[in-house]
Amino acid sequence: MSESITITDNRTGEAVEIPIVNGGVDAAEWKKLLPGLWFLDPAFGTTASTESAITYLDGANGVLEYRGYPIEQLAEKSSHLEVAYLLLNGELPTAEQHDDWVHEITHHTYLHENFRRHVHDAFHYDAHPMGLLTSSVAGLSTFYPEAKDIEDPSNRMEQIVRLVAKMPTIAAAAYRFSMGLPFVFPRNDLDYTSNFLSMMFSIAEDDYVPDPALKRAMEILFILHADHEQNCSTTAARVVGSSHADPYVSVSAACGALYGPRHGGANEAVLRMLAEIGSYDNVDAYVERVKGGEERLMGFGHRVYKNYDPRARIIKDAAHDVFAVTGKNPLLDIALKLEEVALADPYFVDRKLYPNVDFYSGLIYQSMGFPTEMFTVLFAIPRTVGWLAHWQEMLEQGSRIARPRQVYTGVETRDYTPIESR
Ligand code: SDX
């Protein structure tokens, strides 16, 4: 038995044998046999859009690895910036490489003052922070016109450093704007995650240092959200980047995709769902409404994972460390009951619907003091390096512009009719 498939065109009897390589087959091979015939795959449910060496998922077994390292080990032992280096460069940094990388990021956290002072002037005070972030990141491209030179690897890395470094600053600025609080400047004496918490929550404290347990939980959440192969927002970044648009607008496009409740907006939707359920005793009735198709169980289900999302398991454990500091989130019992009921119900079991990364993360964010509207922003900050690792890989692969075909189902050719005779 050869590792290949054979496609036969029954109209002509012609056939082509295509080797199976790394679990895929090359579409260019059947294009020779079947010119003008397209494989229809809306939402790319069974289509690989690219080869990639960055992240590996095994949905059936709930496996997630960044550059070969299991997510469980990285969450326990690494930091977000070390994981960011790994995703971008393919290897964990040496001590010297790590120190240089941290120094680079630390010294690019500031925003141009024209940008910082005026980017919010155009928005209402209660503008959703994801709307602010998506537009701000695109606007940032106007401050770095050299970013259009996407062919130069050192220029690409300079923009990557700026985006990874500035996303927390932009995010915190959006939050402070929405709260009517003064902007908190980045500090170079704090690590990446502590600096973000300082820009978010310090009030007239030049020496703000976050609680170590909360800081560690934030670090773990950033690591878990850093990348996830060809998800919707990463696909958006790769598609927009394939036109050779600059990395700022490519990341802005990814922010837009992440904003949707089916994707990164789910963590915000989970909290609203738990609040709507309101009490432990209402869980069974809500589950019945989900099974009746009236509601979706937000934070459940996944295109790839048909088992427990490994990230959800880690977050569930981290939640207990946070609640030991902040006090238990009152919605936790509802979430735990919802999971218990759903995992025992054939409706969910048959559809392989398990908790995903978004089911428990919002409970932690809420207990740490983040408003619900900030939850997707907390997804976008760490995912920025994943988007950029894929954007960089796409350019290194010499990718052509993304331009899918279609199966036309419209009306046949017809002549224009004057308006008086319609
Ligand atoms: C993320 O892709 C990634 O990697 C994403 C992500 C990342 O790190 O980038 O992992 C992050 O986006 C996680 C997902 C967060 N979204 C949610 O929690 C929203 C709720 N989940 C769903 O809307 C849904 O499960 C998706 C969008 C996540 C996946 O959708 P699919 O793969 O298109 O599945 P589907 O909609 O075709 O559903 C298959 C069946 C359907 O039932 P039938 O029509 O066959 O009877 O399962 C049902 C759906 O109705 N179903 C659900 C459900 N999810 C799917 N029913 C109730 N509640 C749900 N959450």
Side-chain angles (χ1 to χ4, degrees):
M1 296 282 264
S2 73
E3 272 294 293
S4 65
I5 61 168
T6 300
I7 292 182
T8 302
D9 184 344
N10 293 321
R11 300 169 297 180
T12 62
E14 278 187 84
V16 62
E17 182 177 0
I18 309 174
I20 298 170
V21 178
N22 296 325
V25 288
D26 185 349
E29 290 303 311
W30 70 63
K31 196 169 75 172
K32 294 172 194 164
L33 173 71
L34 303 166
L37 196 65
W38 316 123
F39 281 67
L40 181 61
D41 185 17
F44 316 120
T46 55
T47 296
S49 59
T50 184
E51 292 177 308
S52 180
I54 298 170
T55 291
Y56 172 71
L57 298 190
D58 173 348
N61 298 303
V63 172
L64 168 57
E65 295 172 352
Y66 293 162
R67 301 286 190 177
Y69 292 98
I71 194 66
E72 294 80 4
Q73 294 182 29
L74 293 171
E76 183 188 344
K77 299 172 181 170
S78 190
S79 68
H80 179 62
L81 282 191
E82 183 177 73
V83 163
Y85 183 97
L86 171 67
L87 289 169
L88 289 166
N89 298 286
E91 297 295 337
L92 287 169
T94 62
E96 184 184 358
Q97 289 167 333
H98 179 267
D99 292 349
D100 291 347
W101 171 243
V102 170
H103 182 273
E104 272 297 283
I105 297 296
T106 302
H107 292 80
H108 283 85
T109 54
Y110 266 57
L111 302 172
H112 191 294
E113 273 299 282
N114 284 359
F115 175 86
R116 182 186 72 79
R117 277 205 311 272
H118 302 308
V119 75
H120 297 138
D121 292 352
F123 294 90
H124 287 293
Y125 77 93
D126 58 351
H128 194 292
M130 271 308 286
L132 272 171
L133 183 73
T134 304
S135 45
S136 303
V137 171
L140 207 53
S141 68
T142 64
F143 286 81
Y144 306 107
E146 72 276 14
K148 290 181 172 58
D149 180 8
I150 51 92
E151 304 286 5
D152 173 0
S154 62
N155 183 39
R156 289 203 295 259
M157 186 49 74
E158 193 174 331
Q159 312 314 322
I160 288 171
V161 166
R162 282 174 169 151
L163 276 158
V164 171
K166 296 178 195 303
M167 282 299 259
T169 314
I170 297 172
Y175 168 72
R176 303 287 289 199
F177 170 76
S178 70
M179 300 295 284
L181 289 169
F183 173 75
V184 175
F185 282 93
R187 284 171 43 189
N188 290 358
D189 61 318
L190 295 175
D191 64 68
Y192 187 81
T193 311
S194 301
N195 188 33
F196 171 60
L197 293 172
S198 162
M199 292 189 286
M200 282 290 302
F201 297 125
S202 72
I203 302 284
E205 302 159 272
D206 295 339
D207 58 351
Y208 172 94
V209 176
D211 178 285
L214 302 186
K215 184 262 182 209
R216 185 61 203 158
M218 197 82 249
E219 198 83 55
I220 289 169
L221 285 157
F222 276 9
I223 290 169
L224 295 176
H225 285 83
D227 191 51
H228 215 239
E229 57 134 279
Q230 306 308 321
N231 58 84
C232 182
S233 54
T234 298
T235 298
R238 288 183 85 122
V239 167
V240 171
S242 76
S243 76
H244 285 185
D246 72 58
Y248 298 90
V249 294
S250 300
V251 165
S252 174
C255 287
L258 189 74
Y259 195 178
R262 282 176 158 181
H263 190 11
N267 53 19
E268 179 177 347
V270 167
L271 259 289
R272 298 192 193 289
M273 173 185 73
L274 295 175
E276 181 194 333
I277 293 170
S279 84
Y280 186 91
D281 298 330
N282 295 342
V283 166
D284 290 327
Y286 187 84
V287 168
E288 288 312 307
R289 283 171 46 206
V290 171
K291 290 161 66 177
E294 295 170 57
E295 305 284 354
R296 275 246 157 162
L297 192 49
M298 301 312 279
F300 262 68
H302 200 278
R303 175 63 59 76
V304 176
Y305 289 126
K306 299 309 170 190
N307 201 318
Y308 213 100
D309 184 331
R311 301 168 296 176
R313 204 185 303 281
I314 297 167
I315 290 172
K316 191 174 173 184
D317 293 342
H320 296 299
D321 298 337
V322 169
F323 299 153
V325 174
T326 63
K328 191 173 86 169
N329 187 310
L331 295 174
L332 176 66
D333 290 337
I334 299 175
L336 291 170
K337 167 79 170 173
L338 205 47
E339 177 183 349
E340 178 197 331
V341 170
L343 294 190
D345 188 311
Y347 178 90
F348 301 94
V349 174
D350 294 349
R351 290 169 175 79
K352 299 187 186 314
L353 300 178
Y354 292 88
N356 59 46
V357 67
D358 293 307
F359 189 62
Y360 285 106
S361 54
L363 291 171
I364 294 179
Y365 295 146
Q366 186 179 56
S367 293
M368 289 179 72
F370 292 99
T372 310
E373 292 75 18
M374 277 294 287
F375 289 5
T376 307
V377 172
L378 296 172
F379 196 147
I381 293 172
R383 185 54 61 89
T384 296
V385 71
W387 293 330
L388 289 166
H390 283 274
W391 171 77
Q392 175 181 256
E393 181 181 64
M394 178 271 302
L395 292 170
E396 288 169 349
Q397 289 169 329
S399 172
R400 298 167 66 205
I401 190 168
R403 203 277 183 222
R405 307 310 295 263
Q406 65 168 18
V407 172
Y408 179 70
T409 57
V411 295
E412 296 297 320
T413 309
R414 54 184 170 169
D415 293 326
Y416 180 85
T417 48
I419 193 163
E420 53 275 7
S421 58
R422 288 177 208 155

